[in-house]
Structures are given as C-alpha cells and as structure tokens.
Amino acid sequence: MIPEQEGPATPGGADKFDDEHYPAYTMGRAAEMLGTTQGFLRSLGEAGLITPQRSAGGHRRYSRHQLRLAGRARELVDQGTAIDAACRIVSLEDQLYEAQRLNETRGADPELNALD
C-alpha cells in the first residue's frame, strides 16, 4: 500500500533525491502538493501519524514517505472518516506493508530462513 524505498537512512549528495525519508518538503509545499491546508498537516502530527523533522530555523520538513501517509489520510477524511480513525488506519496499513515487505525479503534469502 505505502511502499518505502530501501537504502541508507542518511544518504549523501545526490542520493538524497532517491531517499524516501529525506525531509525535502516545507510545510507549505507539502500542503500544496496534497491539495490541503497546513492545519491539516499539523493535525496529522498531533494525531501521531507523521512527525516532521525540523529545519535549523525550526520549520517543519516532510519526506515523500510522510506525504504518502498524509495523502492516504486525506483520502479517508474526504470519504468521511474521522481524522483520528484515518490516522490509525493509515498507520496499520503502513505497518502491514512493511511486514509483508520483510516477509518477502526473508523468503528470498536462504540464510535468513536458516535462522528458524
């Protein structure tokens, strides 16, 4: 549902463009991309769905992964789901995706299967 890119958590140079978790987007840009308000993004943070990083000046910065989560939450809210419930659903969907990805990775690696 909400794919993540594999790779280093703190890449250098051009690798930042490919890192799903690099906080590249300001709050204003993120809200514009999602077609929502900055207040909506703040409410997702208050509900615990996303925790943006802060720039040196204290401004919120969002990653592509966080924007995907926020976009999915917006879809649910637009369909009439309460924001807290939408955040919980998106969080569970993300956890399920990650567990499935780990299972697939583990199934493809005979050394990991030998650990059982």
Side-chain angles (χ1 to χ4, degrees):
M1 169 17 269
I2 305 172
E4 293 185 26
Q5 181 168 349
E6 296 180 31
T10 55
D15 293 338
K16 291 179 183 178
F17 292 114
D18 296 327
D19 183 11
E20 290 286 308
H21 298 285
Y22 181 73
Y25 303 97
T26 63
M27 177 179 269
R29 180 69 178 128
E32 178 183 321
M33 290 171 66
L34 294 170
T36 189
T37 65
Q38 293 180 19
F40 179 76
L41 289 173
R42 280 191 291 275
S43 67
L44 295 180
E46 291 169 7
L49 179 62
I50 55 177
T51 304
Q53 291 188 19
R54 298 285 183 150
S55 69
H59 300 282
R60 290 174 176 89
R61 305 284 293 195
Y62 296 90
S63 68
R64 287 191 318 224
H65 179 253
Q66 290 173 323
L67 293 184
R68 253 195 315 282
L69 296 176
R72 177 66 178 129
R74 179 172 182 229
E75 289 174 10
L76 292 169
V77 169
D78 287 349
Q79 294 170 6
T81 306
I83 195 161
D84 289 339
C87 289
R88 183 67 180 143
I89 291 167
V90 172
S91 177
L92 290 170
E93 288 175 345
D94 192 44
Q95 290 173 26
L96 176 61
Y97 173 81
E98 181 62 18
Q100 289 171 332
R101 189 186 68 77
L102 289 172
N103 283 339
E104 288 172 8
T105 301
R106 188 171 186 188
D109 189 344
E111 289 183 25
L112 289 175
N113 289 330
L115 296 176
D116 288 337

